[in-house]
Every structure is written in structure tokens, then in C-alpha cells.
Amino acid sequence: MRNVAVRNWVIGAGTPVLLLAAWWFLSANSADPFFPPLETILIRFQELWLFDHFQSDVLLSLGNLFLGFAIAAVAGVVLGFVTALVPPARWMIDPLIHFLRGIPPVALVPIFISLIGFGTQMRVTSIALAALFPTMIATVDGIRSVSNDLMDVARVYRLSRKERVLNVLLPAAMPQIFSGLQVSLQVAFIVMIASEMLGSSQGIGAMTLLAQQSFMTADMWAGILLLGVIGFLVNILFSLLKRKVLSWYIGSRRMARAA
Amino acid sequence: MKESIRPSAFSALGIAGALVIWQVLAAANVAGNALPSATTVFATLATILGTGTFWSALGATLGIAMLALAIAALAGVVLGLLIGSFESVRYATLAVLEFLKPVPPIVILPLAVLVLGPTAEMALFLVVFGCLLPIVMQTVDGVQGTDPVARDTARSYGMGEGEILARVVLPSAMPYIGTAMRVAAPAALVVTVVAGLLGGGPGLGQSIYQAQAAGDYASLYGLVIVLGVLGLLFQGATRLAERRVLHWHESYREVVP
């Protein structure tokens, strides 16, 4: 039994290492312009991102990402509460929301470029608006699935409207809100890259696309590598945050399953 | 009666209100000619709908999205069954899949454009890349979630491994695969548009890019509206297809009173 566990662990850790080694050695003397040696890519990675363009491009991209995401998160939750709790508001904006959600988020970027221009403002606006919908829709769903018993108890205890919203509805809808936030974060990441690729000269996405257009393949690979790592890390960090905030919920689920 | 009319009345009011606000903002010239009025956009949209280039772009977008979705579904289910059936394969691929899962296809767009050029193949590749992993992972979950009793029962009836896979494991993974497809179908459309918009691949994404680059804002808005409608249709169609294919599953069975 223990042997199997050890074997699985070795396979699990060994495969990525093997793949990376294969990439390193197979590309070692590559003259193919599209697939430069991994060594060259890593050297360019170090030269570009650590720390020459770190402040001017990496921090800029990440700043836009987090600012846009933060706006989307707050606005999404607030709008979600308003639509879920005020039926006329829900009836009014429901069809509009569904229509806007059907538009690929990246397709909104050209519209914002034409309205606001190419600056940081446009990028943050695009990210915030595109990332708004998943959180908002998840919030509405979360509030609607709060059990009536819970709301009845809150009413019997004569909790004020504010207490009911902040102390009963918000925690009860939290698990769904966080699922929505995770989707929003992914959308925000995609729109961050897209907003930089469409005619901007700053940011990781812009640098990666410019490198591709000027056939600086190693630079392009370095950009792809950085974007991949950022996408992975941002997701991991959010999962950790989610686990921390929702620990009460995960615990209660585990208890319910054990019972 | 009155109760059921009110929501749709408010919906109509909401849509009308949005259109009026749009018209007023455009008439007030808040954004110069970058914000054309609603009437101009819909008139332009009507002209666009009469051109052959629009329909061939629409055809290219739909064709790429659906072909890529079919490839991703087939390859994803086969890979998922393989990974889910063998523990060692599952452990070998775990780290790689977990790393690639949160990486959207737009990240490798420059590489795809470099190698394949601004072509339909490039768009196809990106869409398959974007849709494959979620389908693989859901299929693996589905295989893992197969009821062991059903598996053992099939074995004691003398079914071979292949027959168990086709008759027990695959059907029980079907709802998982259905969920993955419902998420993947709109995503396929989105990635196709992204490949056209940023990578120059054929389809509506390219049309949007050209409209924006030419400063033809009325067409830009018109095309984005078309994409919104298309997205709604895609979501509706996948929901319907899922219901059709999975009508036997308990979450879809209709209760006959």
C-alpha cells in the first residue's frame, strides 16, 4: 500500500521534471526560428522581466488586473444584492444582463478603445466591466438559494433589514459569490492580456505580441512563460484565500458528509 | 394574471430605457462620433445583414467554433477515459493539467499566430486548446465518480473491460461531460472571436477588428450586438442539447404527476 503511494508520488513529481528536461535537451541546439533553445528563453526571461521591465510593464499589468478585478468584485456583489432583493430592478435589468453576458468579453475592448482611447483607464474599465457579470450572476443565484427557514428565523428574531443583509444573506451566499469571483478573476486576466494586445505598447501582453510581430521568438516565449506563471499563481492565491474565508463552510460540509 | 404580466412589462421597460439612454447619450455627443446613436447602429446592422461578407464571416466563426468543439469533445473524452482509468497516468498528468488549467488560450495566441499564421487552422488550434482541458478534467472526475457497485456488477455479469468502459463508465460520466460541454460551447465561440480579433483569423472577430481600425463605429457596435445574440443562442442550444442527450439521467427526468 505504501509502495503504491510512494510510486504515485514519484510519478506525479517526476513527469513535469521529465517534460522540462525533454524540452531543455530537445531544444538545446535548435536552429528552428519558432522553437529556440529553452536556455535562450530563460536567459531572455531573466533579462526582460527580472527586473528591467518589471516596474514599467509587469507591475503595470498586475496593477490593472487587480484594480479592475477589485472594482468588478465590489460592484458585482452590490449589484447582485440589489437585483436579487428588489424584484422590479431584477425584471428590468435581467434581459440586459443576459444579453451583455452573451457578448465575448474581449469584443468589448474595441468599443472601450473607441470611447476612452488606449490608456490605462480603458484597460481598467474593460477588465472591470467584463469581470463584473460572473460575480453579479453568482451573487444573485447565491441569494436566491438561501433557505426560507433561515430567513424566517432571522425575521422571528426581529433582525433589522441591514442585519439580515449583512449577517444572514451575505454569509449564506458567500460560497457561490466566491465561485463567481474565481470566474471573474479568470475573465479579468484574459481581458487584461487582450486590452494590452490591441494596440498598446506597454504591459506584458503588448510586449509579447510585439516580440512575435518582430520575430523576436525568444522574447515571445519569455512573455508566454511569464503570462502562464502569472495565470497559475493568481489562481492558486485566490484558491488559498477562498479556502481561508470559507473555512467554516468547508468544515460544515465535511461534518454533514460524515454524519 | 396581473402578477405574470408585471415582470415582462418591467423587462420591456428596462430594454426600452437602455435604448433611450443610449440614444440620448449619443445625441448629446458625449463621446464624439465614437458613440453612434442606437438608430444609426440598427440601420447599419440591417445593411450589414444584407452583405455576403457578413454571412461568410459568420459562417467561418460558427464553423471553426463547432469543428473545434467536436475535436475537443472527442479527444477530451478519450483522454479523460484513459487518464481516469489508470492511476499511474492520472498521477503523471496531474501536475501538468493543474498548471495548464488556469492558463487561457489567449496566452499562447502569439505562438499560434507565429507558427500557423493568421489562418483558420490557428483559430482551430486555439479553440481546441481552450476547450480540451476542462472536458478532460470533467471526464476524469466522471470516471472517478462511477459507482463501484455498478462496476463490480458488470464484472460479475462477465463483461470485459472494454464493455464496462462503454456501457457503465461512459454513461455514468455523461452528466460530467455534459456540464463540461455546456461551459465549453460558449467558450469556443469566445476563443474563435479572440483568435480573429487579436490573431487575424477569419470570422467575426476579424470583422470587428477591421471596423475598429477603420473607425467605422456603427458597424463595430452592430457586430458586437450580433455577437451578443449569437452568445445567447449558443448557450440556449447547448442547454437544449444537454437535456436531449441526458434525458434519462435523474437530474433531467421529468416528474409525471
Side-chain angles (χ1 to χ4, degrees):
Chain A
M1 194 61 207
R2 261 202 68 206
N3 269 338
V4 175
V6 170
R7 193 201 64 185
N8 285 339
W9 198 88
V10 169
I11 294 176
T15 317
V17 176
L18 265 181
L19 282 176
L20 282 178
W23 184 6
W24 179 278
F25 287 113
L26 285 178
S27 69
N29 292 312
S30 161
D32 189 329
F34 296 162
F35 300 96
L38 182 55
E39 197 184 350
T40 321
I41 297 173
L42 290 180
I43 290 172
R44 287 303 294 161
F45 187 93
Q46 194 264 326
E47 284 171 358
L48 278 177
W49 308 124
L50 308 172
F51 291 91
D52 206 6
H53 286 272
F54 188 75
Q55 202 158 6
S56 62
D57 294 278
V58 179
L59 280 186
L60 179 83
S61 293
L62 291 179
N64 288 345
L65 176 67
F66 288 118
L67 186 58
F69 175 67
I71 296 172
V74 174
V77 173
V78 170
L79 277 176
F81 265 89
V82 173
T83 27
L85 298 180
V86 187
R90 179 168 76 235
W91 297 330
M92 256 207 241
I93 60 177
D94 230 20
L96 288 175
I97 293 295
H98 278 282
F99 171 72
L100 286 176
R101 194 173 63 139
I103 300 172
V106 176
L108 293 173
V109 177
I111 287 193
F112 285 114
I113 290 178
S114 67
L115 287 177
I116 320 179
F118 290 101
T120 314
Q121 220 183 349
M122 173 281 285
R123 291 181 232 167
V124 175
T125 315
S126 304
I127 295 169
L129 196 85
L132 175 75
F133 298 115
T135 300
M136 179 181 166
I137 289 161
T139 307
V140 173
D141 286 348
I143 295 172
R144 277 192 207 164
S145 61
V146 172
S147 82
N148 282 327
D149 296 348
L150 199 60
M151 292 321 290
D152 287 344
V153 172
R155 217 159 280 139
V156 167
Y157 279 153
R158 295 186 185 280
L159 297 185
S160 69
R161 195 181 168 84
K162 190 178 148 203
E163 281 171 324
R164 282 209 303 263
V165 168
L166 287 182
N167 300 341
V168 181
L169 277 176
L170 187 63
M174 225 21 145
Q176 299 218 25
I177 293 177
F178 262 84
S179 309
L181 283 174
Q182 190 139 31
V183 179
S184 282
L185 187 59
Q186 280 157 5
V187 173
F189 182 58
I190 293 173
V191 175
M192 175 203 96
I193 302 172
S195 70
E196 291 171 354
M197 282 184 171
L198 271 171
S200 147
S201 57
Q202 271 183 318
I204 313 168
M207 286 197 54
T208 309
L209 197 70
L210 281 177
Q212 181 254 312
Q213 283 160 356
S214 42
F215 292 97
M216 286 149 59
T217 332
D219 290 20
M220 179 201 78
W221 275 98
I224 291 179
L225 222 52
L226 181 66
L227 286 174
V229 169
I230 290 178
F232 176 74
L233 285 182
V234 164
N235 203 42
I236 288 275
L237 284 177
F238 188 82
S239 296
L240 287 178
L241 177 76
K242 184 170 152 186
R243 196 170 303 166
K244 188 142 199 203
V245 175
L246 293 181
S247 56
W248 60 272
Y249 172 73
I250 297 166
S252 74
R253 279 270 298 267
R254 196 175 299 139
M255 296 254 292
R257 218 175 298 143
Chain B
M1 187 65 208
K2 218 175 172 186
E3 278 297 305
S4 63
I5 273 182
R6 260 176 64 195
S8 30
F10 270 106
S11 299
L13 198 68
I15 296 172
L19 287 174
V20 168
I21 293 174
W22 178 4
Q23 190 75 15
V24 168
L25 282 180
N29 228 356
V30 278
N33 63 347
L35 181 66
S37 68
T39 44
T40 324
V41 168
F42 282 106
T44 317
L45 187 57
T47 0
I48 295 177
L49 289 179
T51 60
T53 40
F54 168 77
W55 291 103
S56 64
L58 180 68
T61 297
L62 288 180
I64 290 169
M66 295 213 258
L67 181 61
L69 198 59
I71 296 173
L74 200 67
V77 170
V78 171
L79 278 175
L81 287 177
L82 184 78
I83 295 172
S85 302
F86 299 100
E87 209 180 29
S88 46
V89 183
R90 190 154 53 88
Y91 278 97
T93 48
L94 192 67
V96 181
L97 290 184
E98 284 295 330
F99 176 75
L100 286 179
K101 197 177 64 167
V103 176
I106 190 173
V107 168
I108 59 156
L109 181 129
L111 177 65
V113 177
L114 184 73
V115 176
L116 297 168
T119 56
E121 286 80 28
M122 180 274 295
L124 209 58
F125 171 76
L126 281 181
V127 182
V128 172
F129 177 86
C131 296
L132 186 65
L133 276 190
I135 299 177
V136 170
M137 297 194 107
Q138 281 285 323
T139 311
V140 173
D141 279 354
V143 173
Q144 300 282 302
T146 309
D147 184 1
V149 177
R151 219 189 264 246
D152 290 345
T153 310
R155 197 165 293 134
S156 68
Y157 279 167
M159 287 190 190
E161 284 298 326
E163 205 177 356
I164 293 179
L165 203 62
R167 290 223 187 155
V168 180
V169 177
L170 189 60
S172 88
M174 263 325 224
Y176 290 81
I177 300 171
T179 310
M181 292 301 290
R182 184 156 38 103
V183 178
L189 188 67
V190 171
V191 180
T192 313
V193 172
V194 171
L197 187 62
L198 299 172
L204 290 171
Q206 198 188 32
S207 316
I208 287 185
Y209 179 76
Q210 286 163 350
Q212 189 230 336
D216 184 359
Y217 297 121
S219 299
L220 174 62
Y221 279 79
L223 287 167
V224 169
I225 289 175
V226 169
L227 281 180
V229 174
L230 212 57
L232 282 182
L233 290 178
F234 247 64
Q235 282 169 15
T238 36
R239 205 162 294 229
L240 207 69
E242 194 185 3
R243 199 170 285 257
R244 266 278 169 78
V245 175
L246 289 174
H247 64 92
W248 51 271
H249 193 262
E250 47 192 332
S251 58
Y252 289 93
R253 271 182 223 150
E254 274 170 38
V255 181
V256 182

